[in-house]
């Protein structure tokens, strides 16, 4: 699932073979532009995804309900991710890389269009005129009949959503035909924002379990083996953000890329979004923990890039992001005497607004009211 954190272009690209001239080293200006752009692109989906996760948690529309991650899910996730990563590695070793990437391209073509459409829909609504003929639609799939009927899919959308879907399809075709890095980044940003918005941790303890497990996962697969780097170089799909280090020399046709895996954005991002919702539950009109963890993410990602630049080797970003994103807010909670409140904060799997008290009784009461 995750890619190595940030690489220089030579690590991310194919190694030059016999008779193939080596790429010239990136200029300091080009590297600064590339890494600065990657940091900015990583921050955007975390910030806006966290804000959208608050309204998402209160939504009654089944198509916008978040997926809640429990402690059991968090404990199993590194194992599932490792099996998936190793499976992809073996697939690339056994089967033709060309055919695998063709199948993956079609798969991510569909997912990317849906993710991008969902991302731009709230922004596009501002551009539609008041008299726009907007009709409501519902896509409903059920299983069984009578009292045993069960909803499989219940998705509500309107004409504006269809317009956003059409615009996203243009980007999808561009990506499918050209594999251009800008189209890749548009899909990558959409995946990241949707992940932060729709994947919700049920409490801080679950977040610590998830980040801790993926901390070990990331370190092992980057430093212990060449599996993750190999998959990153072979996998042609928008699961990473890229930015050319030779943009100043070659323009939009540049091909010496620095990259950042989406897992290094989404995993810390859902924890940061949880802290924003915790801030709101305190009803103190401050977002202390959100801004603290957001600054911690910037620090951790900056440290990743610095270490990678010094040692000239791919770095597992979660090695630096996890201690920062957990440690900084925890220190603030210790200073404010709110550690108990932080770890007792619980989100219901039912999308209801969490009351200020962090005990379980109000949550159960809200379920009974429903």
């Amino acid at each position: 699932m995750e890619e190595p954190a940030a690489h220089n272009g030579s690590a991310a690209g194919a190694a030059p073979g016999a008779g193939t001239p080596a790429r010239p080293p990136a200029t300091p200006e080009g590297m600064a532009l590339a890494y600065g752009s990657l940091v900015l692109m990583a921050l955007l989906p975390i910030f806006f995804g966290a804000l959208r996760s608050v309204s998402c948690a209160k939504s009654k529309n089944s198509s916008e309900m978040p997926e809640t991650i429990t402690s059991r899910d968090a404990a199993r996730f590194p194992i599932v991710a490792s099996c998936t990563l190793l499976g992809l590695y073996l697939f690339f070793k056994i089967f033709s890389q060309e055919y695998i990437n063709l199948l993956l391209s079609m798969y991510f073509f569909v997912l990317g269009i849906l993710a991008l459409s969902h991302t731009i829909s709230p922004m596009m609504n501002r551009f539609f005129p008041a008299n726009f003929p907007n009709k409501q639609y519902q896509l409903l799939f059920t299983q069984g009949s009578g009292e045993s009927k069960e909803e499989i899919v219940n998705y509500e959308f309107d004409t504006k959503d269809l317009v956003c879907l059409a615009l996203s399809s243009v980007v999808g075709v561009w990506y499918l035909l050209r594999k251009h890095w800008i189209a890749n980044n548009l899909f990558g940003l959409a995946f990241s924002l949707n992940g932060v918005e729709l994947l919700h941790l049920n409490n801080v303890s679950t977040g610590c379990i998830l980040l801790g497990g993926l901390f070990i996962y990331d370190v092992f697969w980057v430093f212990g083996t060449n599996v993750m780097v190999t998959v990153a170089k072979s996998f042609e799909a928008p699961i990473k953000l890229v930015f050319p280090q030779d943009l100043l020399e070659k323009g939009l046709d540049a091909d010496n890329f620095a990259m950042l895996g989406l897992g290094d954005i989404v995993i810390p991002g859902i924890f940061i979004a949880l802290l924003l919702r915790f801030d709101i539950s305190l009803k103190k009109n401050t977002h202390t923990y959100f801004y603290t963890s957001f600054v911690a993410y910037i620090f951790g990602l900056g440290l990743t890039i610095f270490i990678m630049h010094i040692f000239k080797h791919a770095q597992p970003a979660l090695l630096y992001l996890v201690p920062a994103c957990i440690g900084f807010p925890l220190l603030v909670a210790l200073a404010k005497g709110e550690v108990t409140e932080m770890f007792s904060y619980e989100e219901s799997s039912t999308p209801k607004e969490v009351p200020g008290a962090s005990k379980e009784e109000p949550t159960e009461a809200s379920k009974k009211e429903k």
Side-chain angles (χ1 to χ4, degrees):
M1 174 181 173
E2 290 184 57
E3 298 299 315
H7 306 272
N8 57 32
S10 57
T20 304
R23 285 175 176 164
T27 63
E29 295 82 2
M31 293 176 64
L33 177 62
Y35 293 131
S37 299
L38 284 178
V39 171
L40 178 61
M41 286 192 291
L43 296 178
L44 289 175
I46 291 178
F47 186 83
F48 291 105
L51 293 178
R52 288 172 60 158
S53 76
V54 175
S55 57
C56 177
K58 303 173 185 177
S59 175
K60 297 180 180 180
N61 188 344
S62 61
S63 63
E64 297 178 357
M65 286 184 181
E67 184 71 25
T68 302
I69 300 173
T70 64
S71 57
R72 186 176 180 180
D73 298 327
R76 291 186 299 187
F77 193 83
I79 300 173
V80 174
S82 295
C83 293
T84 303
L85 183 67
L86 186 59
L88 285 171
Y89 176 79
L90 294 175
F91 263 93
F92 281 118
K93 288 293 185 181
I94 298 172
F95 300 103
S96 171
Q97 180 177 324
E98 179 183 354
Y99 294 116
I100 297 175
N101 279 319
L102 179 61
L103 291 174
L104 291 173
S105 294
M106 296 302 299
Y107 176 69
F108 281 98
F109 167 74
V110 176
L111 285 185
I113 289 175
L114 295 176
L116 187 58
S117 176
H118 181 265
T119 299
I120 67 174
S121 182
M123 296 179 288
M124 290 298 297
N125 285 337
R126 301 176 182 178
F127 296 98
F128 288 103
N131 59 351
F132 182 81
N134 192 36
K135 296 182 179 180
Q136 300 293 324
Y137 302 93
Q138 184 178 25
L139 185 64
L140 179 64
F141 286 98
T142 60
Q143 179 179 339
S145 59
E147 295 181 357
S148 61
K149 182 182 291 186
E150 181 183 358
E151 287 187 3
I152 305 299
V153 176
N154 186 0
Y155 189 80
E156 299 175 2
F157 58 98
D158 53 30
T159 308
K160 294 178 180 179
D161 293 325
L162 293 177
V163 173
C164 294
L165 191 67
L167 293 174
S168 301
S169 299
V170 174
V171 178
V173 173
W174 181 25
Y175 170 77
L176 196 63
L177 297 179
R178 298 291 303 276
K179 294 292 192 303
H180 198 278
W181 61 273
I182 294 179
N184 173 90
N185 287 349
L186 289 174
F187 276 172
L189 289 169
F191 285 139
S192 300
L193 191 145
N194 278 272
V196 175
E197 176 187 358
L198 299 174
L199 293 176
H200 287 198
L201 296 163
N202 64 346
N203 55 48
V204 174
S205 297
T206 299
C208 293
I209 293 171
L210 179 65
L211 267 67
L214 289 175
F215 172 91
I216 299 171
Y217 158 89
D218 215 20
V219 171
F220 173 77
W221 288 112
V222 172
F223 286 149
T225 71
N226 70 335
V227 171
M228 190 176 281
V229 176
T230 301
V231 172
K233 287 157 54 173
S234 306
F235 205 92
E236 292 182 5
I239 60 168
K240 52 184 177 278
L241 298 180
V242 298
F243 200 91
Q245 300 180 82
D246 52 350
L247 180 68
L248 299 176
E249 292 81 18
K250 296 184 179 180
L252 295 180
D253 294 325
D255 57 1
N256 185 15
F257 294 102
M259 68 172 70
L260 179 69
L262 299 191
D264 299 323
I265 300 172
V266 175
I267 299 303
I270 61 177
F271 186 74
I272 294 171
L274 171 68
L275 292 180
L276 173 61
R277 298 191 297 275
F278 169 62
D279 273 324
I280 294 173
S281 76
L282 295 175
K283 296 183 178 179
K284 295 183 178 179
N285 295 322
T286 61
H287 295 158
T288 306
Y289 294 101
F290 171 65
Y291 289 126
T292 300
S293 57
F294 194 74
V295 171
Y297 182 85
I298 297 173
F299 171 78
L301 191 56
L303 184 60
T304 304
I305 294 172
F306 175 76
I307 298 295
M308 183 211 63
H309 182 67
I310 295 298
F311 291 98
K312 308 295 182 184
H313 186 276
Q315 296 294 312
L318 295 182
L319 173 63
Y320 310 98
L321 291 172
V322 169
C325 290
I326 294 179
F328 282 35
L330 187 57
L331 288 175
V332 172
L334 284 169
K336 298 181 69 175
E338 294 177 342
V339 175
T340 302
E341 288 85 347
M342 174 183 282
F343 280 91
S344 61
Y345 170 70
E346 184 84 20
E347 285 197 351
S348 170
S349 57
T350 305
K352 291 281 187 181
E353 184 175 3
V354 179
S358 54
K359 298 179 182 179
E360 293 184 359
E361 287 81 4
T363 305
E364 294 297 325
S366 66
K367 290 181 180 178
K368 291 179 181 179
E369 287 177 8
K370 182 179 177 182

